[in-house]
Amino acid sequence: MSQPISLDTAAQPSGTQAKLRDQLESLRIQMLEVSEQLNALSLPAKLPPEILLEIFLTHAARVQKNQLDRVLSDGKRVGKVSSYYQWIHVAHVCRRWREVALSCIEFKAYHVFETWTVPYYTLFWGVDTRALDDIPHSIVYHQNTTDRCQRCVPRSLSELGLDHIDEFLPRIKHLAIIIEDDEGTQALWESLGVAAETLESLRIGLRGSSWVYHTKEFESRFTIPDRLFTSCTPRLRTLTMSYVSFSWSNTLLCSSLQHLEITGHPGHEPTTDMATFIATLSRLTSLETLVMDCAPVIGQPFGFVAYLQRLRLLQLSTTLDQAAMLVAHLHLPPFTTITIRFSKQTHHISLEALSSFSQSLSRLTKDTPLRSMSWNVPPRGMALFVGLSESHRPSSIRAWTNTKVDLEQLWAPRSDVYPRLTIAEETDAIVPALLPFLRLPALTALQIIGPIPSNEEWSRKFVGAPNVSLLQVVGRVGYRLGRSLSTNILPPDAQTSTGVGAASSVAMPHLRAIRYFQVRFPPPRAPSDFRKLCASKSAEYCCDSAEFVDGRWGPRGIDLQDLVRGLRMRRTLGADPIERVEFLECAHMKLSHMEPLLREDLTVVFDGVSLAEKSS
């Protein structure tokens, strides 16, 4: 009787099957060889090692900075950081990239001291520092909590990390300190009590429980000592402080600083007055970047100013009163990019503050007058609840001094040409109130991004810009443009004092060209159809119907009859005639829409095609 065959025993392949499998394996090896040869001929693989190393180091610096930004961007967040070594992914692209990346000794001089990355014995032990003696080090010290068993972690993170920081300190180039747990903070400050002659960038920030408890009652626990590194940081170029407390007499605020970024804590009210802050800035003669969201209190009046002749970027987030005081006491070069974001006002906006702020801005832009501006108006009413893009949400103005740059490049959402002046706010109160105070005699190009209700006379806000020759409108602001452009903005006796010509009482009397950009014509549907679709799943039609659902927008698209009436009224009031009207990416256009405009003596262009030429 034959024995049963075990089910666990694999059947032996036949001779033919074995040959086919050998052939398949041979083909797989050939494919790998061909693939390696093909990769070797690609442009990235043909780059010389020294160029690849420069690319890798640039990439690593960017990824490391972005990682730190993410870790500190939400101070309330507590938990494990995914990885501080994401930049090493360049070694996963191909074999050659891996060989070049792992041969870079600068990568080995990047150290992270924190609980969750890898077991402590792998991270801290067995580091041969002799090969790295001549290499500048980058260190991230993340003082976070741990729930590991004490038998597995016989020494605390602070003890392990601080031992190596002491060892590397004479050669540290970049140092980032993240305090998530208060335990060991005092020992940290003490370990940083020696000279740091090679330190070029320092970042200190709070996270987790340290961020939550950093209020006025507990600020002493998270205050940077005034004489850190024994006041010896001769090469310090970049200083970033996030939520930690410090005094303006801190020796880290030294004359070698080029980039200073300060993020305050919402629970901590700064006690330093503006005079002390301005006095500190006057000592930072090499400063190129100043970023702050926590300006000091105004305090007593003072008369001196800070001369920052190298400053390229001034970025502030504060109140109107503090911004007016700060800008009034800064002397900046003509190339400085100024960005100010106003926080929510807790009190009424005073005309004195608006006037003072506008005078300071006029003084800053006197030598380099503003020539192009874009005003972004936030949505209102029903339009606030429909699917508008983020670019329409903030209330802001951007202004440029450029004269030879293409306007389309300036007005692009992500333009590479930085504005000379940017003013934004969380609400919609300061920017519209500020516009009439600005004197813009050199402004020649203006863009307005809606929506603005058709019955709002926004043109009155540009009394101080009489020389605008090109107006571009985006969104619902272009629906009834004629009414806005023909509004009487001033009584006759007030025209001379404002710079507006006596023969004209309309805004922008020298306007020559109007450009409609992404402003639609009335769509071929009745309003009742849209109201039905609002309750359906069609979000596109719901968004399109927002202007008449709100009840304030007037027509459902461009009203060219209104535009023609406005152009004729402007000529009657003494303004220069409009010579060109252009439409770009304007949906739902029909030739019947254009008939009122085509009868006028001007040039009409639709998406680059001329529909009518002005008669000679």
Side-chain angles (χ1 to χ4, degrees), residues 2-201:
S2 61
Q3 296 293 329
I5 300 176
S6 174
L7 295 177
D8 297 333
T9 304
Q12 296 296 323
S14 64
T16 304
Q17 288 177 323
K19 290 181 180 179
L20 290 175
R21 290 183 180 179
D22 292 342
Q23 185 179 359
L24 187 61
E25 179 64 19
S26 176
L27 291 175
R28 188 185 69 82
I29 295 175
Q30 293 181 26
M31 289 178 61
L32 289 176
E33 293 176 351
V34 172
S35 179
E36 290 179 0
Q37 294 175 6
L38 183 62
N39 290 336
L41 294 176
S42 63
L43 180 60
K46 293 170 63 177
L47 290 174
E50 58 273 15
I51 296 180
L52 274 178
L53 283 179
E54 287 296 325
I55 295 174
F56 293 164
L57 291 174
T58 302
H59 168 75
R62 179 181 59 83
V63 172
Q64 291 162 12
K65 180 184 181 300
N66 292 342
Q67 179 74 348
L68 289 174
D69 290 343
R70 286 192 295 269
V71 171
L72 289 172
S73 60
D74 187 1
K76 298 180 182 180
R77 184 176 177 84
V78 181
K80 178 181 178 181
V81 177
S82 58
S83 174
Y84 280 105
Y85 294 94
Q86 294 179 354
W87 46 268
I88 201 62
H89 290 171
V90 296
H92 302 167
V93 175
C94 64
R95 181 180 300 176
R96 173 175 169 78
W97 280 34
R98 180 176 181 82
E99 293 174 352
V100 174
L102 296 184
S103 67
C104 181
I105 194 170
E106 285 83 357
F107 283 165
K108 299 177 183 178
Y110 179 75
H111 313 278
V112 178
F113 302 128
E114 66 104 14
T115 305
W116 292 101
T117 302
V118 291
Y120 72 95
Y121 50 82
T122 305
L123 185 61
F124 301 123
W125 290 3
V127 178
D128 184 8
T129 60
R130 291 174 299 178
L132 305 176
D133 285 344
D134 298 329
I135 301 299
H137 292 259
S138 299
I139 290 183
V140 176
Y141 175 82
H142 188 162
Q143 185 173 279
N144 54 358
T145 57
T146 177
D147 57 0
R148 296 182 179 181
C149 175
Q150 290 302 315
R151 290 178 297 178
C152 300
V153 187
R155 301 180 66 194
S156 67
L157 168 71
S158 299
E159 293 174 341
L160 292 168
L162 295 180
D163 287 349
H164 286 279
I165 288 182
D166 290 341
E167 181 182 355
F168 292 135
L169 196 55
R171 302 183 300 279
I172 292 180
K173 183 178 181 180
H174 306 289
L175 175 61
I177 299 173
I178 304 170
I179 303 175
E180 189 172 317
D181 181 30
D182 184 37
E183 181 182 356
T185 303
Q186 188 59 39
L188 170 65
W189 302 140
E190 293 175 357
S191 70
L192 302 180
V194 296
E197 297 183 355
T198 61
L199 185 64
E200 295 187 10
S201 70

Side-chain angles (χ1 to χ4, degrees), residues 546-577:
E547 71 279 0
F548 60 79
V549 171
D550 187 78
R552 299 186 300 159
W553 302 102
R556 296 180 293 125
I558 300 174
D559 186 350
L560 290 186
Q561 291 183 345
D562 169 79
L563 177 63
V564 170
R565 287 194 296 268
L567 299 184
R568 293 173 179 174
M569 178 62 70
R570 286 175 60 86
R571 291 195 294 268
T572 302
L573 294 174
D576 293 344

